[in-house]
Amino acid sequence: AQSVAQPEDQVNVAEGNPLTVKCTYSVSGNPYLFWYVQYPNRGLQFLLKYITGDNLVKGSYGFEAEFNKSQTSFHLKKPSALVSDSALYFCAVNAGNNRKLIWGLGTSLAVNP
Amino acid sequence: NAGVTQTPKFQVLKTGQSMTLQCAQDMNHNSMYWYRQDPGMGLRLIYYSASEGTTDKGEVPNGYNVSRLNKREFSLRLESAAPSQTSVYFCASSEWIGSPYEQYFGPGTRLTVT
């Protein structure tokens, strides 16, 4: 069965430090991977996606993610965290032609001043 | 270009009442989705419509019905609301041309069933 795991419910990081939000997946077939962000009382916003090609994907707001096929991971990273990055982050995966995404449970990122 | 719009933003229902949540998108997307979001549960797919004229069940379809009225609009109906349906509901749309494109989300409807 296809699944996505975000192993950390919460990540705390100091402003200016690098941040990583982890995501691992289990699918049969080639995965299409996505990261979304949700600010309080808002809908989800797309950050970046991996479809094929370069394993390092750059997205909105200075975020990037690295696709690692051998470790079945797609971790979200940012070199220097901002307080305004504090939000809920979701990883999602699609494998196959079924038009649906499988979602992780989300990771709450808190960036402390 | 409003993206994905949802109405209403907030709703309080009594157990047994019915209501319809409306969703519309102006991006000419073929696929539309209804999710519910509950604390600690992430996003769960209720129903989706891969293209106009089709609808399919997601993970948690019980107690809900949907209508893909046209390419723009996808409504979600609760026929007899239950407290377990208290949640935040999100509509989303996306395109699919050989591979999945990102989903665009509406602002959500916060529903409380008492």
Coordinates of all heavy atoms in Angstrom, one line a residue, chain A residues 17-102:
Chain A
N17 N 19.0 29.6 11.6 CA 19.6 28.3 11.5 C 19.0 27.5 10.3 O 17.8 27.8 9.9 CB 19.4 27.5 12.7 CG 20.4 27.9 13.8 OD1 21.2 28.8 13.6 ND2 20.3 27.2 15.0
P18 N 19.7 26.5 9.8 CA 19.1 25.7 8.7 C 18.0 24.8 9.3 O 18.0 24.4 10.5 CB 20.2 24.8 8.2 CG 21.2 24.8 9.3 CD 21.1 26.1 10.1
L19 N 17.0 24.5 8.5 CA 15.9 23.7 8.9 C 15.7 22.5 8.0 O 16.0 22.6 6.8 CB 14.6 24.5 9.0 CG 13.9 24.9 7.8 CD1 12.9 23.9 7.2 CD2 13.1 26.2 8.0
T20 N 15.2 21.4 8.5 CA 14.9 20.2 7.8 C 13.6 19.6 8.3 O 13.5 19.5 9.5 CB 16.0 19.1 7.8 OG1 17.2 19.6 7.3 CG2 15.6 17.9 7.1
V21 N 12.7 19.4 7.4 CA 11.4 18.7 7.7 C 11.4 17.4 6.9 O 11.5 17.4 5.7 CB 10.2 19.5 7.4 CG1 8.9 18.8 7.8 CG2 10.3 20.9 8.1
K22 N 11.3 16.3 7.6 CA 11.5 15.0 7.0 C 10.3 14.3 6.4 O 9.2 14.5 7.0 CB 12.1 14.0 8.0 CG 13.5 14.4 8.5 CD 14.1 13.5 9.5 CE 15.5 13.9 9.9 NZ 16.0 13.0 11.0
C23 N 10.5 13.6 5.3 CA 9.4 12.9 4.7 C 9.9 11.6 4.1 O 10.9 11.7 3.4 CB 8.7 13.7 3.6 SG 7.5 12.9 2.6
T24 N 9.3 10.5 4.3 CA 9.6 9.2 3.7 C 8.4 8.7 3.0 O 7.3 9.0 3.5 CB 10.3 8.2 4.6 OG1 9.4 7.9 5.6 CG2 11.6 8.7 5.2
Y25 N 8.5 7.9 2.0 CA 7.4 7.4 1.3 C 7.5 5.9 1.0 O 8.6 5.4 1.0 CB 7.1 8.2 0.0 CG 8.3 8.1 -1.0 CD1 8.2 7.1 -1.9 CD2 9.4 8.9 -0.9 CE1 9.3 6.9 -2.8 CE2 10.4 8.7 -1.8 CZ 10.4 7.8 -2.7 OH 11.4 7.6 -3.6
S26 N 6.4 5.3 0.7 CA 6.4 3.9 0.2 C 5.4 3.8 -0.9 O 4.2 4.0 -0.7 CB 6.0 3.0 1.3 OG 5.9 1.7 0.9
V27 N 5.9 3.6 -2.1 CA 5.0 3.5 -3.3 C 5.5 2.4 -4.2 O 6.7 2.1 -4.2 CB 4.9 4.8 -4.1 CG1 4.3 5.9 -3.2 CG2 6.2 5.2 -4.7
S28 N 4.7 1.9 -5.0 CA 5.1 1.0 -6.1 C 5.1 1.9 -7.4 O 4.1 2.6 -7.6 CB 4.2 -0.2 -6.3 OG 2.9 0.2 -6.4
G29 N 6.2 1.8 -8.1 CA 6.2 2.7 -9.3 C 7.0 4.0 -9.0 O 7.4 4.2 -7.8
N30 N 7.1 4.8 -10.0 CA 7.8 6.1 -9.8 C 7.0 7.1 -9.0 O 5.8 7.3 -9.3 CB 8.2 6.7 -11.2 CG 9.2 5.8 -11.9 OD1 10.1 5.3 -11.3 ND2 9.1 5.7 -13.2
P31 N 7.5 7.7 -8.0 CA 6.7 8.6 -7.2 C 6.8 10.0 -7.7 O 7.8 10.5 -8.3 CB 7.5 8.6 -5.8 CG 8.9 8.4 -6.2 CD 8.9 7.5 -7.5
Y32 N 5.6 10.7 -7.5 CA 5.6 12.2 -7.7 C 5.4 12.7 -6.3 O 4.4 12.4 -5.6 CB 4.4 12.5 -8.6 CG 4.5 11.9 -10.0 CD1 3.5 11.0 -10.4 CD2 5.5 12.1 -10.9 CE1 3.5 10.4 -11.7 CE2 5.5 11.6 -12.1 CZ 4.5 10.7 -12.5 OH 4.6 10.1 -13.8
L33 N 6.3 13.6 -5.9 CA 6.3 14.1 -4.5 C 6.1 15.6 -4.4 O 6.6 16.3 -5.3 CB 7.7 13.7 -3.9 CG 7.9 12.2 -3.8 CD1 9.4 11.9 -3.9 CD2 7.4 11.7 -2.5
F34 N 5.4 15.9 -3.4 CA 5.0 17.3 -3.2 C 5.2 17.8 -1.8 O 5.1 17.0 -0.8 CB 3.5 17.5 -3.5 CG 3.1 17.2 -4.9 CD1 2.9 15.9 -5.3 CD2 2.9 18.2 -5.9 CE1 2.5 15.5 -6.6 CE2 2.5 17.9 -7.2 CZ 2.3 16.6 -7.5
W35 N 5.4 19.1 -1.6 CA 5.4 19.7 -0.3 C 4.4 20.9 -0.3 O 4.5 21.7 -1.3 CB 6.8 20.2 0.2 CG 7.7 19.2 0.8 CD1 8.7 18.5 0.3 CD2 7.5 18.7 2.2 NE1 9.3 17.7 1.2 CE2 8.6 17.8 2.4 CE3 6.7 19.0 3.2 CZ2 8.8 17.1 3.6 CZ3 6.9 18.4 4.4 CH2 7.9 17.4 4.6
Y36 N 3.6 21.0 0.8 CA 2.7 22.1 0.9 C 2.9 22.7 2.3 O 3.4 22.0 3.2 CB 1.3 21.6 0.9 CG 0.8 21.2 -0.5 CD1 1.2 19.9 -1.1 CD2 0.0 22.0 -1.3 CE1 0.8 19.6 -2.3 CE2 -0.4 21.7 -2.5 CZ 0.0 20.4 -3.1 OH -0.4 20.1 -4.3
V37 N 2.5 23.9 2.4 CA 2.6 24.6 3.7 C 1.2 25.2 4.0 O 0.4 25.5 3.1 CB 3.6 25.8 3.7 CG1 3.2 26.8 2.6 CG2 3.7 26.5 5.0
Q38 N 0.8 25.1 5.3 CA -0.4 25.7 5.8 C -0.2 26.6 6.9 O 0.3 26.2 8.0 CB -1.4 24.5 6.2 CG -2.8 25.1 6.6 CD -3.7 24.0 7.0 OE1 -3.3 23.0 7.6 NE2 -5.0 24.1 6.8
Y39 N -0.5 27.9 6.7 CA -0.5 28.9 7.8 C -1.8 28.8 8.6 O -2.8 28.4 8.0 CB -0.2 30.3 7.2 CG 1.1 30.3 6.5 CD1 1.2 30.3 5.1 CD2 2.3 30.4 7.2 CE1 2.4 30.3 4.4 CE2 3.5 30.5 6.5 CZ 3.6 30.4 5.2 OH 4.8 30.4 4.5
P40 N -1.8 29.3 9.8 CA -3.0 29.2 10.7 C -4.2 29.7 10.0 O -4.2 30.8 9.4 CB -2.6 30.0 11.9 CG -1.1 29.9 12.0 CD -0.7 29.9 10.5
N41 N -5.3 28.9 10.1 CA -6.6 29.3 9.5 C -6.6 29.6 8.0 O -7.4 30.5 7.5 CB -7.2 30.5 10.3 CG -7.3 30.2 11.8 OD1 -7.9 29.2 12.1 ND2 -6.8 31.1 12.6
R42 N -5.7 29.0 7.3 CA -5.6 29.1 5.8 C -5.7 27.8 5.2 O -5.5 26.7 5.8 CB -4.3 29.8 5.5 CG -4.1 31.2 6.1 CD -5.0 32.3 5.5 NE -4.6 32.5 4.1 CZ -3.7 33.3 3.7 NH1 -3.0 34.0 4.6 NH2 -3.5 33.5 2.5
G43 N -5.9 27.8 3.9 CA -5.8 26.6 3.1 C -4.3 26.3 2.8 O -3.4 27.0 3.1
L44 N -4.1 25.1 2.2 CA -2.7 24.7 1.9 C -2.2 25.4 0.7 O -2.9 25.7 -0.3 CB -2.7 23.2 1.7 CG -2.6 22.3 2.9 CD1 -4.0 22.2 3.6 CD2 -2.2 20.9 2.5
Q45 N -0.9 25.7 0.7 CA -0.2 26.3 -0.4 C 0.9 25.4 -0.9 O 1.7 24.9 -0.1 CB 0.4 27.7 0.0 CG -0.6 28.7 0.5 CD 0.1 30.0 0.9 OE1 1.1 30.3 0.4 NE2 -0.5 30.6 1.9
F46 N 1.0 25.3 -2.2 CA 2.0 24.5 -2.8 C 3.4 25.1 -2.7 O 3.5 26.3 -2.8 CB 1.7 24.4 -4.3 CG 2.8 23.8 -5.2 CD1 3.1 22.5 -5.1 CD2 3.5 24.6 -6.0 CE1 4.1 21.9 -5.9 CE2 4.5 24.1 -6.8 CZ 4.8 22.8 -6.7
L47 N 4.4 24.3 -2.3 CA 5.8 24.8 -2.1 C 6.6 24.3 -3.3 O 7.4 25.1 -3.9 CB 6.4 24.3 -0.8 CG 6.1 25.1 0.4 CD1 6.8 24.4 1.6 CD2 6.5 26.5 0.3
L48 N 6.6 23.0 -3.5 CA 7.5 22.5 -4.6 C 7.1 21.0 -4.9 O 6.3 20.4 -4.1 CB 9.0 22.5 -4.1 CG 9.4 22.0 -2.8 CD1 9.5 20.4 -2.8 CD2 10.7 22.6 -2.3
K49 N 7.6 20.5 -6.0 CA 7.3 19.1 -6.3 C 8.5 18.5 -7.1 O 9.3 19.2 -7.7 CB 6.1 19.1 -7.3 CG 6.3 19.7 -8.6 CD 5.0 19.7 -9.5 CE 5.2 20.4 -10.8 NZ 4.0 20.5 -11.6
Y50 N 8.6 17.2 -7.0 CA 9.5 16.4 -7.7 C 8.7 15.5 -8.7 O 7.9 14.7 -8.2 CB 10.4 15.5 -6.8 CG 11.2 14.6 -7.6 CD1 12.4 15.0 -8.2 CD2 10.8 13.2 -7.8 CE1 13.2 14.1 -9.0 CE2 11.6 12.4 -8.6 CZ 12.7 12.8 -9.2 OH 13.5 11.9 -10.0
I51 N 9.0 15.6 -9.9 CA 8.3 14.7 -10.9 C 9.4 13.8 -11.5 O 9.3 12.6 -11.6 CB 7.6 15.5 -12.0 CG1 6.6 16.5 -11.4 CG2 7.0 14.6 -13.1 CD1 5.5 15.7 -10.7
T52 N 10.5 14.4 -12.0 CA 11.5 13.6 -12.6 C 12.7 14.6 -12.8 O 12.6 15.8 -12.6 CB 11.1 13.0 -14.0 OG1 12.2 12.1 -14.5 CG2 10.9 14.1 -15.0
G53 N 13.9 14.0 -13.1 CA 15.1 14.9 -13.3 C 15.9 15.1 -12.1 O 16.1 14.2 -11.3
D54 N 16.4 16.3 -12.0 CA 17.3 16.7 -10.9 C 16.7 16.4 -9.5 O 15.6 16.7 -9.2 CB 17.6 18.2 -11.0 CG 18.8 18.6 -10.2 OD1 19.3 17.8 -9.3 OD2 19.3 19.7 -10.4
N55 N 17.6 15.7 -8.7 CA 17.1 15.3 -7.4 C 16.9 16.4 -6.4 O 16.2 16.3 -5.5 CB 18.1 14.3 -6.8 CG 18.0 12.9 -7.5 OD1 17.1 12.6 -8.2 ND2 19.0 12.1 -7.3
L56 N 17.5 17.6 -6.7 CA 17.3 18.7 -5.8 C 16.3 19.7 -6.5 O 16.6 20.2 -7.6 CB 18.7 19.4 -5.6 CG 18.6 20.6 -4.7 CD1 18.3 20.2 -3.2 CD2 20.0 21.3 -4.6
V57 N 15.2 19.9 -5.8 CA 14.2 20.7 -6.3 C 14.1 22.0 -5.5 O 14.1 22.0 -4.3 CB 12.8 19.9 -6.2 CG1 11.7 20.8 -6.7 CG2 12.9 18.6 -6.9
K58 N 14.0 23.1 -6.2 CA 13.9 24.4 -5.5 C 12.4 24.9 -5.7 O 11.8 24.7 -6.7 CB 14.8 25.4 -6.1 CG 16.3 25.1 -5.9 CD 17.2 26.2 -6.3 CE 18.7 25.8 -6.1 NZ 19.0 25.5 -4.7
G59 N 11.9 25.5 -4.6 CA 10.6 26.0 -4.6 C 10.4 27.4 -4.1 O 11.3 28.2 -4.1
S60 N 9.2 27.6 -3.6 CA 8.8 29.0 -3.1 C 9.5 29.3 -1.8 O 9.8 28.4 -1.0 CB 7.3 29.1 -3.0 OG 6.6 28.7 -4.1
Y61 N 9.6 30.6 -1.5 CA 10.1 31.1 -0.2 C 11.5 30.6 0.2 O 11.7 30.5 1.4 CB 9.1 30.8 0.9 CG 7.6 31.1 0.5 CD1 6.6 30.2 0.5 CD2 7.2 32.4 0.1 CE1 5.3 30.4 0.2 CE2 5.9 32.7 -0.2 CZ 5.0 31.7 -0.2 OH 3.7 32.0 -0.6
G62 N 12.3 30.2 -0.8 CA 13.6 29.8 -0.5 C 13.8 28.3 0.0 O 14.8 27.9 0.4
F63 N 12.7 27.6 -0.1 CA 12.7 26.1 0.3 C 13.2 25.3 -0.9 O 13.1 25.6 -2.0 CB 11.3 25.7 0.7 CG 10.9 26.1 2.0 CD1 10.1 27.3 2.2 CD2 11.2 25.4 3.1 CE1 9.7 27.7 3.4 CE2 10.8 25.8 4.4 CZ 10.1 26.9 4.6
E64 N 13.8 24.2 -0.5 CA 14.2 23.2 -1.5 C 14.0 21.8 -0.8 O 13.8 21.7 0.4 CB 15.7 23.4 -1.9 CG 16.7 23.3 -0.7 CD 18.1 23.7 -1.1 OE1 18.2 24.6 -2.1 OE2 19.0 23.3 -0.5
A65 N 14.0 20.8 -1.7 CA 13.9 19.4 -1.2 C 14.7 18.5 -2.0 O 14.9 18.7 -3.2 CB 12.4 19.0 -1.3
E66 N 15.2 17.4 -1.4 CA 16.1 16.5 -2.1 C 15.4 15.1 -2.2 O 15.0 14.6 -1.2 CB 17.4 16.4 -1.4 CG 18.4 15.5 -2.2 CD 19.8 15.6 -1.7 OE1 20.0 16.2 -0.6 OE2 20.7 15.1 -2.4
F67 N 15.2 14.7 -3.4 CA 14.7 13.4 -3.6 C 15.8 12.3 -3.5 O 16.8 12.5 -4.2 CB 14.1 13.3 -5.0 CG 13.6 11.9 -5.5 CD1 12.7 11.2 -4.8 CD2 14.2 11.3 -6.6 CE1 12.3 10.0 -5.2 CE2 13.8 10.1 -7.0 CZ 12.9 9.4 -6.3
N68 N 15.6 11.3 -2.7 CA 16.6 10.3 -2.5 C 15.9 8.9 -2.7 O 15.2 8.5 -1.9 CB 17.2 10.3 -1.1 CG 18.4 9.4 -1.0 OD1 18.3 8.2 -1.4 ND2 19.5 9.8 -0.3
K69 N 16.1 8.4 -3.9 CA 15.4 7.1 -4.3 C 15.8 6.0 -3.4 O 14.9 5.2 -3.0 CB 15.6 6.8 -5.7 CG 14.7 5.7 -6.3 CD 14.9 5.6 -7.8 CE 13.9 4.5 -8.3 NZ 14.0 4.4 -9.8
S70 N 17.1 5.8 -3.1 CA 17.5 4.7 -2.3 C 17.0 4.7 -0.9 O 16.7 3.7 -0.3 CB 19.0 4.6 -2.3 OG 19.6 5.8 -1.7
Q71 N 16.8 5.9 -0.3 CA 16.3 6.0 1.0 C 14.8 6.3 1.0 O 14.2 6.5 2.1 CB 17.1 7.1 1.8 CG 18.5 6.8 2.0 CD 19.2 7.8 2.9 OE1 18.6 8.7 3.4 NE2 20.5 7.6 3.0
T72 N 14.2 6.4 -0.1 CA 12.8 6.7 -0.3 C 12.4 7.9 0.6 O 11.4 7.9 1.4 CB 11.8 5.5 0.0 OG1 12.0 5.1 1.3 CG2 12.1 4.4 -1.0
S73 N 13.2 9.0 0.4 CA 12.9 10.2 1.2 C 12.8 11.4 0.3 O 13.3 11.4 -0.8 CB 14.0 10.4 2.2 OG 15.3 10.7 1.6
F74 N 12.2 12.4 0.9 CA 12.0 13.7 0.2 C 12.0 14.8 1.2 O 10.9 15.4 1.5 CB 10.7 13.7 -0.7 CG 10.6 14.8 -1.6 CD1 11.5 15.2 -2.6 CD2 9.4 15.6 -1.6 CE1 11.4 16.2 -3.4 CE2 9.2 16.7 -2.5 CZ 10.2 17.0 -3.4
H75 N 13.1 15.1 1.8 CA 13.2 16.0 3.0 C 13.1 17.4 2.5 O 13.8 17.8 1.5 CB 14.4 15.8 3.8 CG 14.5 14.4 4.4 ND1 13.4 13.6 4.7 CD2 15.6 13.7 4.7 CE1 13.8 12.5 5.2 NE2 15.1 12.4 5.2
L76 N 12.4 18.3 3.2 CA 12.3 19.7 2.9 C 13.4 20.5 3.7 O 13.6 20.2 4.9 CB 10.9 20.2 3.3 CG 10.6 21.7 3.0 CD1 10.5 21.9 1.5 CD2 9.3 22.1 3.8
K77 N 14.0 21.4 3.0 CA 15.1 22.1 3.7 C 15.1 23.6 3.3 O 14.5 24.0 2.3 CB 16.5 21.5 3.2 CG 16.7 20.1 3.5 CD 18.0 19.5 3.1 CE 18.1 18.1 3.5 NZ 19.5 17.5 3.2
K78 N 15.7 24.4 4.2 CA 15.9 25.8 4.0 C 17.2 26.2 4.7 O 17.4 25.8 5.9 CB 14.7 26.6 4.5 CG 14.8 28.1 4.1 CD 13.5 28.8 4.5 CE 13.6 30.2 4.0 NZ 12.4 31.0 4.4
P79 N 18.1 26.9 4.0 CA 19.4 27.2 4.6 C 19.3 28.1 5.9 O 20.1 27.9 6.8 CB 20.1 27.9 3.5 CG 19.4 27.5 2.3 CD 18.0 27.3 2.6
S80 N 18.3 29.0 5.9 CA 18.3 30.0 7.0 C 16.8 30.2 7.3 O 16.1 30.9 6.5 CB 19.0 31.3 6.6 OG 18.9 32.2 7.6
A81 N 16.4 29.7 8.5 CA 14.9 29.8 8.8 C 14.5 31.2 9.2 O 15.3 32.0 9.9 CB 14.6 28.8 9.9
L82 N 13.3 31.6 8.9 CA 12.7 32.8 9.3 C 11.5 32.5 10.3 O 10.9 31.5 10.2 CB 12.1 33.6 8.1 CG 13.1 34.0 7.0 CD1 12.4 34.5 5.8 CD2 14.1 35.0 7.6
V83 N 11.3 33.5 11.2 CA 10.1 33.3 12.1 C 8.8 33.1 11.3 O 8.0 32.3 11.7 CB 10.0 34.5 13.0 CG1 8.7 34.4 13.8 CG2 11.2 34.6 14.0
S84 N 8.7 33.8 10.1 CA 7.5 33.7 9.3 C 7.4 32.3 8.6 O 6.4 32.0 8.0 CB 7.6 34.8 8.2 OG 8.7 34.7 7.5
D85 N 8.4 31.4 8.7 CA 8.3 30.1 8.2 C 7.5 29.2 9.2 O 7.2 28.0 8.8 CB 9.7 29.5 8.0 CG 10.4 30.1 6.9 OD1 9.8 30.6 5.9 OD2 11.7 30.2 7.0
S86 N 7.2 29.6 10.3 CA 6.5 28.9 11.3 C 5.1 28.5 10.7 O 4.3 29.4 10.4 CB 6.3 29.6 12.6 OG 7.6 29.9 13.2
A87 N 4.8 27.2 10.6 CA 3.6 26.8 9.9 C 3.5 25.3 10.0 O 4.4 24.6 10.6 CB 3.5 27.3 8.5
L88 N 2.5 24.7 9.4 CA 2.3 23.3 9.3 C 2.7 22.8 7.9 O 2.3 23.5 6.9 CB 0.8 22.9 9.6 CG 0.4 21.5 9.8 CD1 1.2 20.8 10.9 CD2 -1.1 21.5 10.1
Y89 N 3.6 21.8 7.8 CA 4.1 21.4 6.5 C 3.6 20.0 6.2 O 3.7 19.1 7.1 CB 5.6 21.5 6.5 CG 6.1 22.9 6.5 CD1 6.1 23.6 7.7 CD2 6.4 23.5 5.3 CE1 6.5 25.0 7.7 CE2 6.9 24.9 5.3 CZ 6.9 25.6 6.5 OH 7.3 26.9 6.5
F90 N 3.1 19.8 5.0 CA 2.6 18.5 4.6 C 3.4 18.0 3.4 O 3.7 18.7 2.4 CB 1.2 18.6 4.2 CG 0.2 18.8 5.3 CD1 -0.2 20.1 5.6 CD2 -0.3 17.7 6.0 CE1 -1.1 20.3 6.7 CE2 -1.2 17.9 7.1 CZ -1.6 19.2 7.4
C91 N 3.8 16.7 3.4 CA 4.4 16.0 2.3 C 3.3 15.1 1.7 O 2.4 14.6 2.4 CB 5.5 15.1 2.8 SG 6.4 14.2 1.6
A92 N 3.3 15.0 0.4 CA 2.3 14.1 -0.3 C 2.9 13.4 -1.5 O 3.9 13.9 -2.0 CB 1.1 15.0 -0.8
V93 N 2.4 12.3 -1.8 CA 2.9 11.5 -2.9 C 1.8 10.9 -3.8 O 0.7 10.7 -3.3 CB 3.8 10.3 -2.4 CG1 2.9 9.3 -1.6 CG2 4.5 9.6 -3.5
N94 N 2.1 10.9 -5.1 CA 1.3 10.2 -6.0 C 2.1 9.2 -6.8 O 3.2 9.5 -7.2 CB 0.6 11.2 -7.0 CG -0.2 10.4 -8.1 OD1 0.4 10.0 -9.1 ND2 -1.5 10.3 -7.9
A95 N 1.6 8.0 -6.9 CA 2.2 7.0 -7.8 C 1.1 6.3 -8.6 O 0.3 5.7 -8.1 CB 3.0 6.0 -7.0
G96 N 1.2 6.4 -9.9 CA 0.2 5.8 -10.7 C -0.8 6.8 -11.2 O -0.8 8.0 -10.8
N97 N -1.7 6.4 -12.1 CA -2.5 7.4 -12.8 C -3.9 7.4 -12.1 O -4.9 7.3 -12.8 CB -2.6 6.9 -14.2 CG -3.3 8.0 -15.1 OD1 -3.2 9.1 -14.7 ND2 -3.8 7.6 -16.2
N98 N -3.9 7.7 -10.8 CA -5.2 7.7 -10.1 C -5.7 9.0 -9.6 O -6.7 9.1 -8.9 CB -5.2 6.7 -8.9 CG -4.2 7.1 -7.9 OD1 -3.7 8.2 -7.9 ND2 -3.8 6.2 -7.0
R99 N -5.0 10.1 -10.0 CA -5.4 11.5 -9.7 C -5.5 11.8 -8.2 O -6.0 12.9 -7.9 CB -6.7 11.8 -10.3 CG -6.9 11.4 -11.8 CD -6.3 12.4 -12.7 NE -6.3 12.0 -14.1 CZ -6.8 12.7 -15.1 NH1 -7.3 13.9 -14.8 NH2 -6.7 12.2 -16.3
K100 N -5.0 10.9 -7.3 CA -5.1 11.2 -5.9 C -3.7 11.4 -5.3 O -2.7 10.8 -5.8 CB -5.8 10.1 -5.2 CG -7.2 9.8 -5.6 CD -7.9 8.8 -4.7 CE -7.4 7.4 -5.0 NZ -8.1 6.4 -4.2
L101 N -3.6 12.2 -4.3 CA -2.4 12.3 -3.5 C -2.6 11.6 -2.2 O -3.7 11.6 -1.6 CB -2.1 13.8 -3.2 CG -1.7 14.6 -4.4 CD1 -1.4 16.1 -4.0 CD2 -0.4 14.0 -5.1
I102 N -1.5 10.9 -1.7 CA -1.5 10.4 -0.4 C -0.7 11.3 0.5 O 0.4 11.7 0.2 CB -0.8 9.0 -0.4 CG1 -1.4 8.1 -1.4 CG2 -0.8 8.4 1.0 CD1 -2.8 7.7 -1.2

